[in-house]
Amino acid sequence: SQIAADAGRAHEAERPTMASFKAGAQVEAPSEGAVGSWYSGVVKSVKRDGTARVLFDESEEIAEVPVASCRPLPPEAAPSGWLEALKEGGPLEVRHNDGWWSARLAARKGTASSRRAQLKLVVGPGRGCAQHYRQHLYLRPCGEEHLQ
């Protein structure tokens, strides 16, 4: 899907290597059963085969995840003005079910800074479900925008 392709390209530049993660590193990693979502956790160990044992924060489960699928945690605060600058069709992530899901801005009603603003999002690769989110604290930039 287009969202998955965009997310993959956006995260290529930030793909970690085995040497970049050590036990104790805080990361985001995909969930095996929830395609297009990212969950925070702590690296418990890194194996020679290129997988990391990650203890996920919310579920408190440990999973083996390819290091190449992990990414550093983004800053806590999104860059000022990113949502106002996001154009229709632009990628972002939305907080849902304890994880961050890839999404695309489908439409906007009102200004982004208005409490009455409504954003229509298409969430997740291949899911095709449109949802309305009114609270911007559950949205963040996607991909390389995290690292600026």
Side-chain angles (χ1 to χ4, degrees), residues 132-148:
H132 291 273
Y133 287 84
R134 292 188 181 138
Q135 295 181 338
H136 298 179
L137 40 132
Y138 297 114
L139 303 175
R140 72 180 187 191
C142 178
E144 294 174 9
E145 294 86 5
H146 299 258
L147 304 175
Q148 295 175 352

Side-chain angles (χ1 to χ4, degrees), residues 106-119:
R108 181 189 318 251
K109 284 185 181 178
T111 61
S113 59
S114 167
R115 289 184 159 216
R116 294 184 181 176
Q118 291 186 9
L119 303 176

Side-chain angles (χ1 to χ4, degrees), residues 25-31 37-43 54-61 71-74 95 98-100 140:
Q26 294 185 320
V27 298
E28 284 187 339
S31 172
S37 63
W38 296 86
Y39 296 85
S40 60
V42 176
V43 174
V54 177
L55 171 62
F56 288 99
D57 295 339
E58 299 293 332
S59 68
E60 297 184 0
E61 293 180 14
R71 66 184 187 189
L73 288 180
R95 182 87 171 155
D98 298 325
W100 288 96
R140 72 180 187 191

Side-chain angles (χ1 to χ4, degrees), residues 17-32:
T17 62
M18 284 179 40
S20 65
F21 284 131
K22 296 181 174 139
Q26 294 185 320
V27 298
E28 284 187 339
S31 172
E32 190 173 295

Side-chain angles (χ1 to χ4, degrees), residues 8-94:
R9 279 193 301 276
H11 293 293
E12 280 304 312
E14 58 189 82
R15 290 272 186 232
T17 62
M18 284 179 40
S20 65
F21 284 131
K22 296 181 174 139
Q26 294 185 320
V27 298
E28 284 187 339
S31 172
E32 190 173 295
V35 176
S37 63
W38 296 86
Y39 296 85
S40 60
V42 176
V43 174
K44 300 309 277 180
S45 63
V46 178
K47 297 168 59 177
R48 288 186 196 171
D49 67 359
T51 59
R53 291 182 65 241
V54 177
L55 171 62
F56 288 99
D57 295 339
E58 299 293 332
S59 68
E60 297 184 0
E61 293 180 14
I62 294 180
E64 289 193 7
V65 180
V67 170
S69 296
C70 297
R71 66 184 187 189
L73 288 180
E76 285 188 35
S80 178
W82 77 271
L83 189 55
E84 291 83 357
L86 188 66
K87 295 181 180 4
E88 286 186 14
L92 66 147
E93 292 181 348
V94 60

